[in-house]
Amino acid sequence: MEDGSVNKWRFHGNKKLSFASSIILKRVLTSLKENLNQNDTRPTIPLATGDPSSFPSFQTTSVAEDAIVDAVKSAKFNHYSPNVGILPARRAIADYLNRDLPYKLSPDDVYVTIGCKQAIEVIVTVLTSPGASILLPRPGYPTYEAYARCNQLEVRYFDLLPEKGWEVDLDAVEALADENTVAMVIINPGNPCGNVYSHQHLHKIAETAKKLGIMVISDEVYQHLTFGSTPFVPMGVFGSIVPVVTLGSISKRWMVPGWRLGWLVTSDPNGILQKSGVVESIKDFLTVSSDPATFTQGAIPQILEKTKEDFF
């Protein structure tokens, strides 16, 4: 029998995945929990992972629960999902986002994903090409870097300015970008800083991105969860200036992260993403990946249309 030592075999694990997982919050929290003294009876305080459903005082609305039950009992949503999501869900998401936009999204601008995390994976993978780079905010959400590293997409960080309410350092963005830069990411409302960008600052971001010839990826998973006097303004408002890809989900606002229903939306009235092949690549990615549960998609119209403001 041959020696079973490692050097006899041609396969090995992907070290890029090891690095990527090491910077993900879930991996860090798991490591912390594993190293707690199991004999210590003191309660521990969860310092991370945005999962409000873990706390009894934060429960979703009965409208959402009833929508899921109705979708399951209807037997209309036991089939495979189309790769971009079922039409009623895409139409409902477009209508929901249109409340805040000066122009109208169509269902064709909406791609349903397995939570916002898959939406991040989709757009990062789509933008990957030899030598390409992406600009990420610092502080920011580490999942963007993790997917970029896995796809060998170069990461460059621009700072957020605490003395200016964590606004983007636009001078740094211009200095970092070159002919290989494809996109910049903003997170609004901000994670982890909790900031909310003004209409004026978002307009400056759009103009800067247009000047550089890059798209803006706007992570709006905390959409409308804001404190203070600055109202939430979606980046899609400026889609006529620069192509915007908006990422979102029902996880936070409806407090149901485990339902894994998100979206990737192209706000691009000028059709630049279509002409550049980005839209086709999004569809191609979703064709070879998994889909969100169809019954959850089936519940989305009822959830988005019938939830009353007093719940929020």
Side-chain angles (χ1 to χ4, degrees):
M1 182 177 291
E2 288 190 12
D3 183 355
S5 60
V6 174
N7 61 3
K8 295 286 186 181
W9 303 102
R10 299 178 185 273
F11 52 82
H12 54 78
N14 185 338
K15 293 182 180 179
K16 290 187 178 66
L17 291 176
S18 178
F19 171 79
S21 69
S22 72
I23 63 174
I24 294 295
L25 192 56
K26 188 180 292 186
R27 171 74 174 268
V28 176
L29 291 174
T30 299
S31 179
L32 284 172
K33 289 178 181 178
E34 288 174 349
N35 284 281
L36 289 175
N37 181 354
Q38 300 302 315
N39 297 319
D40 191 332
T41 59
R42 290 177 297 176
T44 57
I45 300 173
L47 297 177
T49 306
D51 188 352
S53 65
S54 300
F55 302 91
S57 55
F58 294 108
Q59 298 297 316
T60 193
T61 171
S62 58
V63 170
E65 295 169 338
D66 292 344
I68 291 289
V69 172
D70 291 347
V72 172
K73 286 188 172 182
S74 74
K76 295 178 180 178
F77 305 105
N78 296 333
H79 54 80
Y80 286 120
S81 169
N83 60 322
V84 295
I86 64 174
L87 180 57
R90 291 186 289 123
R91 182 184 293 118
I93 292 167
D95 290 344
Y96 169 68
L97 298 177
N98 281 337
R99 301 172 192 177
D100 299 316
L101 295 174
Y103 56 88
K104 297 300 180 185
L105 297 168
S106 81
D108 291 338
D109 298 315
V110 178
Y111 306 88
V112 187
T113 59
I114 307 173
C116 192
K117 195 170 184 179
Q118 190 194 30
I120 296 172
E121 180 185 14
V122 172
I123 193 59
V124 169
T125 305
V126 162
L127 293 176
T128 298
S129 62
S133 65
I134 188 169
L135 308 182
L136 302 182
R138 182 173 53 195
Y141 182 53
T143 295
Y144 287 93
E145 180 184 357
Y147 280 128
R149 301 292 187 192
C150 286
N151 284 281
Q152 296 183 302
L153 180 63
E154 181 187 350
V155 171
R156 300 177 184 177
Y157 282 104
F158 58 86
D159 288 329
L160 304 182
L161 304 172
E163 68 276 11
K164 293 186 176 181
W166 303 102
E167 287 187 348
V168 174
D169 185 344
L170 293 173
D171 290 336
V173 168
E174 291 199 43
L176 287 167
D178 60 23
E179 67 276 6
N180 293 318
T181 304
V182 293
M184 65 179 291
V185 173
I186 64 168
I187 304 174
N188 181 47
N191 177 12
C193 301
N195 52 287
V196 183
Y197 291 144
S198 67
H199 185 283
Q200 181 183 21
H201 186 58
L202 292 171
H203 187 267
K204 289 180 180 178
I205 290 172
E207 292 289 357
T208 300
K210 178 183 179 181
K211 177 181 176 181
L212 298 172
I214 63 177
M215 75 167 66
V216 178
I217 300 167
S218 186
D219 185 325
E220 298 175 3
V221 73
Y222 286 99
Q223 176 193 50
H224 289 297
L225 292 177
T226 60
F227 298 91
S229 59
T230 306
F232 167 72
V233 177
M235 189 69 208
V237 165
F238 306 99
S240 59
I241 298 174
V242 64
V244 176
V245 171
T246 300
L247 313 182
S249 78
I250 62 170
S251 298
K252 310 301 184 185
R253 201 175 186 210
W254 275 266
M255 298 181 283
V256 287
W259 291 10
R260 309 311 301 146
L261 197 290
W263 51 79
L264 182 156
V265 175
T266 54
S267 298
D268 181 32
N270 299 318
I272 297 168
L273 298 176
Q274 182 76 49
K275 296 169 187 173
S276 63
V278 169
V279 167
E280 194 60 35
S281 289
I282 291 170
K283 293 177 182 177
D284 289 341
F285 183 99
L286 293 172
T287 299
V288 299
S289 70
S290 298
D291 311 309
T294 312
F295 72 85
T296 312
Q297 296 185 54
I300 280 296
Q302 191 170 323
I303 292 172
L304 297 183
E305 295 163 13
K306 295 188 177 181
T307 301
K308 302 200 180 301
E309 283 300 314
D310 59 358
F311 165 71
F312 301 120

